[in-house]
Every structure is written in structure tokens, then in C-alpha cells.
Amino acid sequence: HVAFRCTNLRHMLAHLRELRVDVKHRRVDDQALYQLFLLDPNGVKVELNFDVDEVNSIKEELLLED
């Protein structure tokens, strides 16, 4: 799989939800990360890593998995 360090979690969550992309969420407190996992069109797992502090400013409903 591939992994990326990202910013603007709020925008990414809204964008992925708008596109109806299936996303799995994981909080990794010992590394101060909030992770999103999704599959690209070829089935390759994509890991998006955000600073865990970004989660505090996100509305709860955006964090819910569909």
C-alpha cells in the first residue's frame, strides 16, 4: 500500500463522502495520527495520515463511517 502525510482532514472527509468513497478510520494515539484508509481504482490500499489534533475541530458526523 501507499501512505501519505496530509493536512485538512475536514476537507478530505467531506470530499470523500461527496464522492461516496468507502473509508475506514483509525486513531493512533501513541503516534498522534488519525488515519483514513481507502482503495484506489486499481484496488491498491491508500493510507492518509493526519495530525490527531485536527480531529478536535471536526464535527462528529464527519468522523462517522458510512
Side-chain angles (χ1 to χ4, degrees), residues 18-32:
E18 180 180 315
L19 295 174
R20 300 183 189 273
V21 174
D22 183 37
V23 178
K24 303 297 181 207
H25 300 240
R26 184 170 83 174
R27 188 175 181 136
V28 186
D29 288 325
D30 63 335
Q31 295 180 34

Side-chain angles (χ1 to χ4, degrees), residues 1-39:
H1 80 272
V2 295
F4 299 95
R5 184 71 177 192
C6 303
T7 58
N8 204 338
L9 176 61
R10 176 191 311 273
H11 176 76
M12 182 60 73
L13 288 169
H15 181 69
L16 293 171
R17 179 160 287 157
E18 180 180 315
L19 295 174
R20 300 183 189 273
V21 174
D22 183 37
V23 178
K24 303 297 181 207
H25 300 240
R26 184 170 83 174
R27 188 175 181 136
V28 186
D29 288 325
D30 63 335
Q31 295 180 34
L33 290 177
Y34 192 83
Q35 300 177 311
L36 301 179
F37 295 93
L38 56 128
L39 297 177

